[in-house]
Amino acid sequence: MSTEIESSQSSGLLAFPLLSEQPKKTENVIIDNNTSRDQSVISLNYGSKLNMSNCIISNNTGDGIHISDSGYRCDSERPCATVYVKNSLIYENTGIGIKCQGYPQFVIINCTIADNGGFGLYVHDDVHGSNVSGVQAIINSILWDNYPSSIDVGGQGFALSFTYNDIDQHSAGQGNINADPLFVNLQGGNFSLQEGSPCIDAGDPESGMDPDGTYPDMGAYYYHQSEIAPYPPQNLIATPGDNQATLTWSPNSDNDFASYRIYGGTSPNRSL
């Protein structure tokens, strides 16, 4: 069951308190077609804590998520914002998908950030600096077709980590790729993966298996492999004889494999 926030005009549709002790959990929320007067749909400042999962932020006027410690020096009394976003889709907002200023600590995992009008992910520090080291990590995510680019990073003083992502621009980092993710319908807002997508089984193998028991996919929506075909026979050799052919091959090692079926015929385009 989802909660929908639609066609609203306000100053920060979801604003989170400063110096909160417990993370604010936001799950199964759809924020669509809204206008924020302060240019951000979800706004967080120093000390804010957000744990977001299975959400959609789309078609809004302004940035999707704005995390800002800008103007403050993070320390033990004024801690940096802490944000965790998982399995969420952020697309077709007029501003930036996720905007980070200052030194917030954030993890973005298995998200799709696409077709936003002001960068997909924008991360910049500020002149005030920070004496608190944090984590800024983007894992198993797809950043695609954002304008003018999917990533804009500037400044220094933080360790931004990109691993196992599909990004439409070159990005150093283990497991990153730059390949068409093969969304079902990008223009129609369907960001599920098609069969054959390079994002299938391409996520961090240490991040846990997908619900179908396969290696993790990239993006907000995994591709369900309900019936996984067995590996084809290896080292197949056909030896002709007297009105017969003898086939030999190396046995399949799949645990759930039961038997082979062999079909014969003379047509080069035979279908089963």
Side-chain angles (χ1 to χ4, degrees):
M1 183 175 181
S2 299
T3 300
E4 296 192 21
I5 302 174
E6 185 176 9
S7 302
S8 172
Q9 295 187 15
S10 65
S11 179
L13 297 176
L14 293 178
F16 294 89
L18 307 182
L19 301 176
S20 54
E21 295 183 0
Q22 298 296 328
K24 172 66 176 179
K25 288 189 176 182
T26 304
E27 299 177 340
N28 303 314
V29 174
I30 300 173
I31 305 175
D32 181 77
N33 192 31
N34 299 280
T35 299
S36 174
R37 291 194 295 271
D38 69 354
Q39 299 182 344
S40 56
V41 177
I42 296 180
S43 180
L44 302 102
N45 213 314
Y46 72 89
S48 299
K49 298 178 182 180
L50 169 65
N51 190 329
M52 169 180 283
S53 61
N54 301 304
C55 293
I56 299 175
I57 304 173
S58 60
N59 300 300
N60 299 288
T61 300
D63 301 330
I65 301 175
H66 185 192
I67 314 162
S68 177
D69 290 319
S70 183
Y72 301 97
R73 181 179 176 86
C74 294
D75 53 33
S76 58
E77 295 183 359
R78 196 190 299 267
C80 297
T82 303
V83 179
Y84 181 84
V85 184
K86 183 177 182 180
N87 294 121
S88 294
L89 171 62
I90 303 172
Y91 79 100
E92 284 192 0
N93 300 286
T94 62
I96 299 168
I98 298 180
K99 182 178 182 179
C100 303
Q101 291 179 294
Y103 294 89
Q105 303 179 57
F106 64 85
V107 174
I108 301 167
I109 182 168
N110 279 107
C111 290
T112 297
I113 304 173
D115 206 20
N116 294 286
F119 300 109
L121 177 67
Y122 177 95
V123 182
H124 281 247
D125 63 6
D126 60 17
V127 297
H128 296 275
S130 172
N131 61 3
V132 177
S133 60
V135 176
Q136 298 91 18
I138 299 90
I139 310 164
N140 294 357
S141 295
I142 300 174
L143 292 89
W144 201 262
D145 201 31
N146 299 281
Y147 180 84
S149 65
S150 284
I151 300 173
D152 188 77
V153 178
Q156 58 186 1
F158 49 77
L160 186 60
S161 171
F162 288 91
T163 55
Y164 296 94
N165 302 291
D166 188 8
I167 307 171
D168 61 357
Q169 63 192 77
H170 174 73
S171 178
Q174 183 177 1
N176 290 327
I177 62 175
N178 177 357
D180 187 342
L182 296 181
F183 295 126
V184 170
N185 187 350
L186 172 64
Q187 301 306 320
N190 187 340
F191 292 90
S192 299
L193 302 176
Q194 298 183 50
E195 182 179 1
S197 167
C199 298
I200 297 173
D201 295 342
D204 184 354
E206 300 299 323
S207 62
M209 307 298 275
D210 279 340
D212 61 1
T214 62
Y215 284 113
D217 299 342
M218 297 173 176
Y221 307 119
Y222 81 99
Y223 180 84
H224 188 77
Q225 303 175 63
S226 57
E227 295 183 4
I228 305 174
Y231 289 108
Q234 302 296 310
N235 304 315
L236 178 63
I237 299 175
T239 304
D242 185 14
N243 294 320
Q244 65 179 15
T246 301
L247 302 179
T248 59
W249 61 86
S250 299
N252 193 299
S253 60
D254 290 358
N255 292 330
D256 58 352
F257 185 80
S259 62
Y260 295 96
R261 290 184 180 180
I262 301 174
Y263 297 83
T266 59
S267 172
N269 299 314
R270 180 176 177 84
S271 61
L272 304 181

